[in-house]
Amino acid sequence: MRHQPGMAAMAAAIIAQPAMAQAEALPEPVAAMIRHAAETLDDAKLAAVVEAAKATNPASGAEIDALAGRLKAEYAARAEEKRIAELASQGLLDGWSGQGELGVGMTSGNTDQKTAVASLKLRKEGLKTRHSLRALADFQRDNGETSREKFLVGYKFDYKFFERMYAYGTLQWDRDRFAGISRRFTESAGLGYKVIVHDGHSWEVEAGPALQQISYTDGTSENQLAGRASSLYSVALTDTITFGNDTTAFFGASNTSLSNLASLTAKFSDRLSGRLSYLWQRESNPPPGLKKVDTATRATVVYDF
């Protein structure tokens, strides 16, 4: 009985050894590897490094998870602080990004056709505001006669109330002689909501009243109050292929305009992409002799800058 305290202490020490081993700090090379992966803000890379670290240090799984989680949150917070500071310090000409799109085509023989489409989009994202500029030219000639001639210039301003909800205002001029529109000015304001906000997957909807001043190709003109609604959808199908679908509608008393653009974009590099698109447009009340529906299928090259 006199030896029991010593034996109990020895047994307690033996039992505690595994726990003490688990509590040891991670080797510095392993911690450095996790730190570097977390700094990239790439979740897939961090997950792969954590898995490798656990495989080589099976007794330290909890410590590895804790370190990875802490570093991920720390570097994400730093990146967000940097982004906010950069946006807050932007000048009028700072922070713009853009996308240029160009497609040309020519056939000869039984059919003599020439087509050209070019567009430019500029965008500036601020803390509370977003500016968007857009210009489009779409032209086609068949057997020496113009069969398509569409031009558009527009500006859009968004003010963000919350992460998902914002107010917008738009100004737009367009011309489409083969839809019966010689000149059309449109002003609109309303509310927008981001229904889906995920990496590689987004959907925004907007609605509000609009004013239109329209001059038709038959010489008539009118002003109308209309309702505007739009849907902008985009989803990354793979790392390099994206599907987009943009719909805009103006509902007026004398004329309703609908347009839908479906596109499939494949990235060739960080800046260069190829795009296949299908455009469907409808004017409910075109001048006599003109069709209500117009479509166009295009293959274009896209450059991001």
Side-chain angles (χ1 to χ4, degrees):
M1 297 295 292
R2 286 179 299 176
H3 299 287
Q4 285 180 355
M7 294 179 64
M10 184 180 297
I14 294 173
I15 293 172
Q17 278 185 346
M20 292 174 64
Q22 287 183 359
E24 291 179 0
L26 284 173
E28 179 53 32
V30 176
M33 182 172 63
I34 296 173
R35 189 179 304 111
H36 176 73
E39 192 174 7
T40 66
L41 300 178
D42 187 329
D43 291 344
K45 180 180 290 187
L46 179 59
V49 169
V50 166
E51 184 178 355
K54 287 182 177 180
T56 55
N57 299 269
S60 302
E63 288 81 0
I64 291 171
D65 285 336
L67 178 62
R70 178 175 61 81
L71 290 175
K72 178 181 177 180
E74 179 181 326
Y75 285 119
R78 289 184 187 179
E80 180 64 12
E81 289 176 2
K82 181 180 179 181
R83 185 187 73 85
I84 291 174
E86 289 176 349
L87 292 178
S89 63
Q90 281 183 355
L92 181 62
L93 301 180
D94 299 327
W96 288 92
S97 61
Q99 184 180 90
E101 185 174 358
L102 177 65
V104 294
M106 181 181 297
T107 62
S108 60
N110 293 324
T111 300
D112 181 12
Q113 184 182 80
K114 298 179 178 66
T115 63
V117 58
S119 71
L120 177 66
K121 296 178 181 179
L122 298 175
R123 183 185 180 100
K124 177 178 178 176
E125 195 86 31
L127 283 176
K128 285 290 186 180
T129 61
R130 180 170 59 186
H131 302 267
S132 304
L133 290 167
R134 180 190 176 201
L136 168 72
D138 192 349
F139 184 81
Q140 180 173 301
R141 288 179 66 85
D142 292 305
N143 297 318
E145 295 186 0
T146 301
S147 57
R148 185 174 180 84
E149 185 182 278
K150 179 177 177 62
F151 302 97
L152 181 148
V153 178
Y155 168 73
K156 184 168 177 284
F157 173 80
D158 299 333
Y159 182 84
K160 308 169 193 173
F161 296 124
F162 312 106
E163 180 184 1
R164 291 177 178 265
M165 181 171 286
Y166 58 92
Y168 75 84
T170 66
L171 298 172
Q172 180 175 293
W173 169 89
D174 70 295
R175 176 181 180 180
D176 190 344
R177 291 196 305 114
F178 291 88
I181 308 297
S182 177
R183 182 185 67 233
R184 176 166 52 192
F185 292 99
T186 303
E187 306 85 33
S188 178
L191 294 176
Y193 186 76
K194 297 181 179 181
V195 181
I196 299 175
V197 184
H198 292 298
D199 290 340
H201 194 188
S202 64
W203 182 25
E204 296 183 27
V205 294
E206 298 175 348
L211 293 173
Q212 293 185 310
Q213 302 84 47
I214 310 171
S215 295
Y216 295 101
T217 54
D218 62 0
T220 62
S221 62
E222 68 170 333
N223 299 331
Q224 74 167 356
L225 176 64
R228 176 186 180 273
S230 73
S231 167
L232 290 83
Y233 180 79
S234 176
V235 59
L237 302 179
T238 69
D239 291 340
T240 58
I241 299 177
T242 302
F243 172 76
N245 189 279
D246 297 346
T247 303
T248 304
F250 290 95
F251 302 97
S254 58
N255 185 63
T256 294
S257 303
L258 302 173
S259 69
N260 178 264
L261 177 65
S263 63
L264 201 62
T265 304
K267 292 186 71 68
F268 303 142
S269 65
D270 288 342
R271 295 186 179 274
L272 195 64
S273 305
R275 176 173 294 163
L276 292 174
S277 62
Y278 178 78
L279 176 65
W280 180 91
Q281 294 176 291
R282 185 180 188 275
E283 300 289 340
S284 66
N285 190 26
L290 296 179
K291 296 180 179 179
K292 293 183 177 182
V293 175
D294 192 14
T295 64
T297 303
R298 295 284 188 254
T300 55
V301 175
V302 180
Y303 184 77
D304 294 305
F305 58 91

